[in-house]
Amino acid sequence: MSISIAESIRNVELGIRNETASSIPNSKFQIPNSPELLAPAGNFEKLQTALIFGADAVYFGGKNFSLRAYGDNFTRDEIIQAVDFTHKLGKKIYAAVNVFAHNTDLDALADYLKFLDGVNVDAVLVSDLGVLNLAKELTALDIHISTQANVTNWRAAKFFHELGAKRIVLARELTREEILTIKANCAAELEIFVHGAMCISYSGRCWLSKFLTGRDANQGACTHSCRWKYNLVEEKRGGEFFPVGEDERGAYVMNSKDLCLLPNIGEVIQSGVASLKIEGRMKSVNYVAGVVKVYRAAIDSYCANPDNFTIRDEWLDELDKVAHRPYTTGFFMSDGNSTEIHDTSKPSRSSDFLGIVREFDPSTMTATIEQRGKFELGERVEFFQPTGKTFSQTITAMRDVDGSEISVAPHAQQLVTMPIAEPVEVWSLMRS
Ligand code: SF4
């Protein structure tokens, strides 16, 4: 059973579809500084999408030493290209180097950190003190402490700051009050996660996957074993599975819901954190575009007029369309109760990603779409634009690159032209 974000938000502890700033203590606000919106870049196309749909900054992993060993990740040539693309837009790019290193990694790490410094990434995200030490010794890179380091108190934050970290990405397992206390006692920039998947353990500091499969979460190879379905087996009765759980649906006792702090974006911004991070380097282009656009709009709207801020239905609807588990505010407004989903571990989504608009010709009102999913004549589709409103239309005609009429676009990355009902921005996503 999937639960919509609207239901999640109503049913879980957080609240309210139409949250206003007046629900936050101290109803008279200064206009707050706009925090950075930081988005995941699992590959170059996702990096471009995140920046074009409104992220101020992106984070990525190279082929080694980040914690997404099974992601696409970036080659050194791609990193150079990514830095160039990001800086031309006046935005920032951070490299995740948050693996827990072994002695045998150190020489290659030193070489990689010098490379990142040479190509001018804006910061490196580290967890391991040895990597921090190497980065300080060999480079002039800004250092951000990864959430993998699990900073949960102001002394730890202050200590990392004194060691040379410019920014601390706090553990996800903190309440708003704890974040405010850390902010009051530590001069480093603070970054918090506002959206995306969570770990049942402290942000990946977990041995479950390694124990069950040999794939180590702390080396970026997690199998998400916490999301599997578990039963009880007595040692002499192999093959007899006794259900464990709170009800008849079984037990996904360690399967965390997804974090969504949109309903509390006012409290998040008022807490004074420097950067709001979206999780999901393994997620799709559709996810990156949708989530980034929603948080961009919410941050801008709140910072422009906090006293009259309202969560818009269209934002909630959009977050419902991207792949997600039921949402929770996690620990931010409470102690993290109601953060697991016990009936399924499968994410739900309500839109399929069909293609990207690569060109639009206003003189003929035709668009060129690069195909990602199968679509055909007569199908109803929507165009999700980087800045403009989403609109829908029926596909009335299609041509391939040779100009021949076609009725279906079956090939991955095939270029297709079609008449378009309204002017459409390049980079818009076509979705079902
Ligand atoms: S198994 Fe689950 S809790 Fe452990 S690191 Fe992987 S995702 Fe996180």
Side-chain angles (χ1 to χ4, degrees):
M1 180 186 69
S2 73
I3 300 175
S4 71
I5 180 173
E7 283 175 273
S8 300
I9 288 170
R10 273 193 216 96
N11 295 343
V12 187
E13 72 278 8
L14 45 113
I16 25 190
R17 199 166 171 90
N18 287 309
E19 164 132 347
T20 64
S22 62
S23 68
I24 307 166
N26 308 320
S27 69
K28 280 290 160 215
F29 293 118
Q30 304 288 325
I31 300 289
N33 290 328
S34 180
E36 173 187 88
L37 178 60
L38 175 56
N43 60 30
F44 191 56
E45 184 173 64
K46 293 175 194 174
L47 177 142
Q48 292 172 303
T49 303
L51 295 170
I52 285 162
F53 277 79
D56 299 305
V58 285
Y59 62 101
F60 73 94
K63 289 292 178 189
N64 296 302
F65 309 125
S66 89
L67 284 176
R68 291 292 178 273
Y70 295 95
D72 291 342
N73 296 323
F74 287 67
T75 63
R76 290 195 178 198
D77 283 348
E78 287 168 337
I79 293 171
I80 293 167
Q81 210 185 347
V83 171
D84 185 51
F85 183 88
T86 307
H87 286 170
K88 278 188 175 142
L89 293 175
K91 302 191 175 195
K92 292 193 170 171
I93 179 165
Y94 309 136
V97 193
N98 50 351
V99 73
F100 285 92
H102 288 251
N103 294 328
T104 49
D105 296 323
L106 293 178
D107 288 346
L109 263 166
D111 182 61
Y112 182 52
L113 288 166
K114 284 194 265 187
F115 163 77
L116 292 173
D117 194 21
V119 300
N120 290 325
V121 300
D122 294 289
V124 282
L125 274 147
V126 308
S127 309
D128 184 287
L129 286 169
V131 181
L132 188 157
N133 180 260
L134 258 183
K136 270 184 67 178
E137 192 173 297
L138 300 177
T139 77
L141 287 161
D142 280 348
I143 296 169
H144 296 180
I145 300 301
S146 165
T147 193
Q148 195 79 3
N150 306 132
V151 173
T152 54
N153 62 74
W154 66 264
R155 279 197 177 271
K158 195 160 173 276
F159 182 65
F160 276 120
H161 191 215
E162 286 164 2
L163 284 177
K166 181 181 181 192
R167 178 183 295 184
I168 317 292
V169 189
L170 295 176
R172 280 171 269 207
E173 296 79 13
L174 294 177
T175 64
R176 177 172 172 261
E177 283 65 37
E178 289 175 301
I179 293 167
L180 290 173
T181 302
I182 293 171
K183 171 92 184 126
N185 287 282
C186 173
E189 292 178 359
L190 301 181
E191 179 178 310
I192 64 168
F193 279 87
V194 291
H195 197 93
M198 298 207 291
C199 274
I200 199 72
S201 72
Y202 272 104
S203 299
R205 295 286 285 263
C206 168
W207 207 243
L208 189 63
S209 174
K210 172 80 170 167
F211 180 73
L212 292 176
T213 70
R215 281 173 45 178
D216 186 354
N218 297 298
Q219 299 293 325
C222 177
T223 55
H224 304 282
S225 314
C226 59
R227 306 201 186 276
W228 297 353
K229 184 173 184 176
Y230 288 92
N231 286 282
L232 182 70
V233 179
E234 196 278 329
E235 78 174 306
K236 296 194 177 66
R237 291 172 176 78
E240 281 188 59
F241 299 104
F242 299 98
V244 185
E246 295 175 4
D247 56 33
E248 71 284 356
R249 289 172 298 195
Y252 297 86
V253 288
M254 297 177 283
N255 179 36
S256 174
K257 293 177 183 174
D258 285 353
L259 181 67
C260 174
L261 288 184
L262 180 71
N264 298 106
I265 198 75
E267 284 100 332
V268 168
I269 294 171
Q270 287 293 336
S271 71
V273 295
S275 181
L276 311 187
K277 187 173 208 161
I278 296 166
E279 182 275 346
R281 276 190 281 146
M282 305 285 281
K283 301 273 177 64
S284 69
V285 166
N286 192 27
Y287 169 92
V288 170
V291 177
V292 166
K293 188 176 179 185
V294 166
Y295 279 88
R296 173 80 282 140
I299 292 167
D300 291 349
S301 172
Y302 184 84
C303 291
N305 191 350
D307 282 328
N308 293 310
F309 176 73
T310 304
I311 300 288
R312 294 188 199 144
D313 283 354
E314 72 210 48
W315 299 341
L316 299 174
D317 292 343
E318 181 53 39
L319 292 184
D320 221 12
K321 287 181 180 174
V322 300
H324 67 283
R325 300 178 187 85
Y327 287 122
T328 174
T329 52
F331 295 77
F332 187 76
M333 298 303 288
S334 69
D335 60 0
N337 287 330
S338 303
T339 52
E340 292 90 49
I341 176 74
H342 298 247
D343 55 353
T344 180
S345 61
K346 289 203 179 93
S348 66
R349 66 163 188 265
S350 62
S351 80
D352 281 324
F353 173 35
L354 303 177
I356 302 174
V357 175
R358 291 301 186 200
E359 286 176 27
F360 168 64
D361 181 349
S363 64
T364 58
M365 287 299 284
T366 55
T368 303
I369 317 288
E370 189 176 302
Q371 187 260 13
R372 287 293 188 278
K374 187 180 168 199
F375 54 87
E376 55 195 24
L377 279 182
E379 193 169 335
R380 191 84 187 154
V381 294
E382 70 173 19
F383 289 89
F384 183 65
Q385 308 195 73
T387 60
K389 274 201 168 305
T390 302
F391 65 91
S392 300
Q393 70 167 64
T394 301
I395 301 175
T396 55
M398 292 195 289
R399 292 181 185 276
D400 64 16
V401 277
D402 301 323
S404 305
E405 288 189 3
I406 54 173
S407 59
V408 63
H411 306 303
Q413 308 213 331
Q414 179 177 8
L415 287 175
V416 175
T417 57
M418 65 173 68
I420 204 93
E422 299 181 27
V424 66
E425 296 167 27
V426 171
W427 278 100
S428 297
L429 304 191
M430 189 174 90
R431 312 190 298 196
S432 60

Coordinates of all heavy atoms in Angstrom, one line a residue, residues 399-406 414-417:
R399 N 7.9 12.6 -35.1 CA 8.9 12.3 -36.2 C 10.2 11.9 -35.6 O 10.6 12.4 -34.5 CB 9.1 13.5 -37.1 CG 7.8 13.8 -37.9 CD 8.1 15.0 -38.8 NE 6.8 15.4 -39.5 CZ 6.4 14.9 -40.6 NH1 7.0 13.9 -41.2 NH2 5.2 15.3 -41.1
D400 N 10.9 11.0 -36.3 CA 12.3 10.6 -35.8 C 13.3 11.6 -36.4 O 12.9 12.5 -37.1 CB 12.6 9.1 -36.2 CG 12.6 8.9 -37.7 OD1 12.7 9.9 -38.5 OD2 12.5 7.7 -38.1
V401 N 14.6 11.4 -36.2 CA 15.6 12.3 -36.7 C 15.6 12.4 -38.2 O 16.1 13.4 -38.8 CB 17.0 11.9 -36.2 CG1 17.3 12.4 -34.8 CG2 17.3 10.4 -36.3
D402 N 15.1 11.4 -38.9 CA 15.1 11.5 -40.4 C 13.9 12.2 -40.9 O 13.7 12.3 -42.1 CB 15.2 10.1 -41.0 CG 16.4 9.3 -40.5 OD1 17.5 10.0 -40.4 OD2 16.3 8.1 -40.3
G403 N 13.0 12.6 -40.0 CA 11.8 13.3 -40.4 C 10.6 12.3 -40.7 O 9.5 12.8 -41.2
S404 N 10.8 11.1 -40.5 CA 9.8 10.1 -40.8 C 8.8 10.1 -39.7 O 9.1 10.2 -38.5 CB 10.3 8.7 -41.0 OG 11.4 8.7 -41.9
E405 N 7.5 9.9 -40.0 CA 6.4 9.9 -39.0 C 6.6 8.5 -38.3 O 6.8 7.5 -38.9 CB 5.1 10.0 -39.6 CG 4.8 11.4 -40.1 CD 3.3 11.6 -40.5 OE1 2.5 10.6 -40.4 OE2 3.0 12.6 -41.0
I406 N 6.4 8.6 -36.9 CA 6.5 7.4 -36.1 C 5.3 7.4 -35.1 O 4.7 8.5 -34.9 CB 7.8 7.2 -35.3 CG1 8.1 8.5 -34.5 CG2 8.9 6.9 -36.3 CD1 9.3 8.3 -33.5
Q414 N 16.5 8.0 -28.1 CA 16.1 8.3 -29.4 C 15.6 9.8 -29.4 O 15.0 10.2 -28.5 CB 15.0 7.4 -29.9 CG 14.4 7.7 -31.3 CD 13.3 6.7 -31.6 OE1 12.9 5.9 -30.8 NE2 12.9 6.8 -32.9
L415 N 16.0 10.6 -30.5 CA 15.5 12.0 -30.6 C 14.2 12.0 -31.4 O 14.1 11.4 -32.5 CB 16.5 12.9 -31.2 CG 17.8 13.2 -30.4 CD1 18.8 14.0 -31.2 CD2 17.4 14.0 -29.1
V416 N 13.2 12.6 -30.8 CA 11.9 12.6 -31.4 C 11.4 14.1 -31.4 O 11.5 14.8 -30.4 CB 10.9 11.8 -30.6 CG1 9.5 11.9 -31.1 CG2 11.3 10.3 -30.5
T417 N 10.8 14.5 -32.6 CA 10.2 15.9 -32.6 C 8.7 15.7 -32.5 O 8.1 14.8 -33.1 CB 10.6 16.7 -33.8 OG1 10.2 16.0 -35.0 CG2 12.1 17.0 -33.8

